Amino acid sequence: EQIKVSSNNILLQIKNATWSKFTDTNSMDPFIDENANAIEIIPDDPDSIAVGDVISYKTEYGIVIHRVVEKNIDDEGVYYIVKGDNSSFVDPVKVRYKDIEGVVVAVIY
């Protein structure tokens, strides 16, 4: 129902969607590589983000896009541990729901 295909176009009807472009840092190769764009949705709540999802989140250095490899709870609430697919190490922060910009639902080259 969300995808309409005709002879001259394709229409994606995705609620709360945004268009994203990325800096090619190679951290998400081969899933996201040079010249990739994505469709992201704004998650409804912390429970709508799961291990395996690719998220974009705010840092003091800018927006980072990495995959959720762990989801847990501490005294401050739900947090996510993330890492780039092409990285050996997890990111050095607990990502909080308030910092999440979107969840990738499609990559377009």
Side-chain angles (χ1 to χ4, degrees), residues 11-39:
L11 175 63
L12 303 174
Q13 297 175 326
I14 303 170
K15 181 182 168 194
N16 295 324
T18 60
W19 182 256
S20 299
K21 292 179 168 253
F22 308 107
T23 301
D24 186 23
T25 64
N26 297 315
S27 71
M28 287 298 292
D29 287 354
F31 181 65
I32 297 173
D33 204 356
E34 187 176 6
N35 299 320
N37 298 291
I39 297 172

Side-chain angles (χ1 to χ4, degrees), residues 70-81 93-96:
E70 181 182 328
K71 180 179 178 179
N72 219 325
I73 299 174
D74 63 11
D75 292 341
E76 296 179 40
V78 174
Y79 67 88
Y80 312 89
I81 302 297
V93 296
K94 291 179 178 178
V95 178
R96 303 292 176 172

Side-chain angles (χ1 to χ4, degrees), residues 34-86:
E34 187 176 6
N35 299 320
N37 298 291
I39 297 172
E40 292 184 297
I41 58 167
I42 300 166
D44 292 329
D45 55 54
D47 292 333
S48 62
I49 300 168
V51 170
D53 286 346
V54 174
I55 62 170
S56 59
Y57 69 96
K58 295 179 282 196
T59 72
E60 62 185 88
Y61 308 106
I63 303 294
V64 174
I65 182 161
H66 281 164
R67 190 176 304 278
V68 175
V69 295
E70 181 182 328
K71 180 179 178 179
N72 219 325
I73 299 174
D74 63 11
D75 292 341
E76 296 179 40
V78 174
Y79 67 88
Y80 312 89
I81 302 297
V82 299
K83 76 181 251 333
D85 289 355
N86 195 33

